[in-house]
Amino acid sequence: MLLTREKSQLLIVDVQDKLLDAMSGKGRLVQRCVRLVQAAKTLDIPITVSEQYPQGLGPTVESIRWALGNSASTLSKVEFSCARNEALRNRLDELRRQGRQQVVIGGIESHVCVMQTAIDLENSGFDAFVVADAVSSRSKTSKRLALSRLAKAGADIVDSEMVLFEWLGRAGTPEFKELQALIK
């Protein structure tokens, strides 16, 4: 199944100051999450951000917060799966009721919060799309195992370029020209 902008929502999971330092490939992870946020904003795709225990782990990293501006709903949690947090689940369900059953997911950690969220969403009738170049774990092995397990659980494993081109659908539009710089 292809992603469409009309059926999509973006979920950025726990890309927070105190968690980020331990991540493998943290610079690329943040860059790809920013890319997804900028594309979603340009294409009017709703964005939700989760923060795991922000009192202890800090807020979402500054570059992502800057890219978001006022374009996202940021909700805190202590559950590993966003789908097991009532406020986050209500937000995702409300967007699904609006026809947005495709959840594009970036964030950390691949093998904990991202994986549990995506599996719970798949089991609840959402279509989860985990963006491989926009997720990370402390170890590359944990990320690799998580992506393998997610694929077996029915989640689609994609990369950020796939997401952007599927959301765009065609070249030659004003949105394509605006987002082209994100791809170069």
Side-chain angles (χ1 to χ4, degrees), residues 61-156:
V61 297
E62 185 177 353
S63 55
I64 294 174
R65 285 195 326 262
W66 183 84
L68 288 164
N70 295 321
S71 298
S73 184
T74 301
L75 301 162
S76 64
K77 64 180 180 68
V78 292
E79 301 82 1
F80 297 124
S81 171
C82 292
R84 294 182 187 194
N85 174 276
E86 185 178 0
L88 282 159
R89 180 58 188 238
N90 288 342
R91 163 85 173 159
L92 299 172
D93 281 339
E94 174 58 32
L95 292 170
R96 178 170 53 178
R97 285 190 289 278
Q98 297 171 19
R100 296 183 177 277
Q101 73 272 8
Q102 297 176 335
V103 184
V104 176
I105 305 168
I108 54 181
E109 282 194 65
S110 308
H111 67 294
V112 183
C113 296
V114 169
M115 186 185 72
Q116 289 184 32
T117 296
I119 289 173
D120 281 346
L121 291 175
E122 280 287 328
N123 289 338
S124 298
F126 286 90
D127 300 315
F129 292 80
V130 177
V131 187
D133 60 337
V135 298
S136 186
S137 293
R138 285 166 282 153
S139 80
K140 291 178 183 179
T141 300
S142 293
K143 177 181 172 179
R144 188 180 71 249
L145 290 170
L147 294 176
S148 174
R149 189 167 171 203
L150 283 161
K152 288 178 185 172
D156 288 86

Side-chain angles (χ1 to χ4, degrees), residues 32 35 38-39 42-43 160-161 164-165 168 170-184:
R32 293 305 188 241
R35 172 190 272 185
Q38 290 173 327
T42 299
L43 299 171
S160 59
E161 280 197 23
L164 267 61
F165 282 110
L168 285 165
R170 60 187 294 250
T173 64
E175 294 96 346
F176 178 79
K177 290 179 180 157
E178 188 173 340
L179 295 180
Q180 194 171 12
L182 296 176
I183 299 163
K184 291 184 178 183

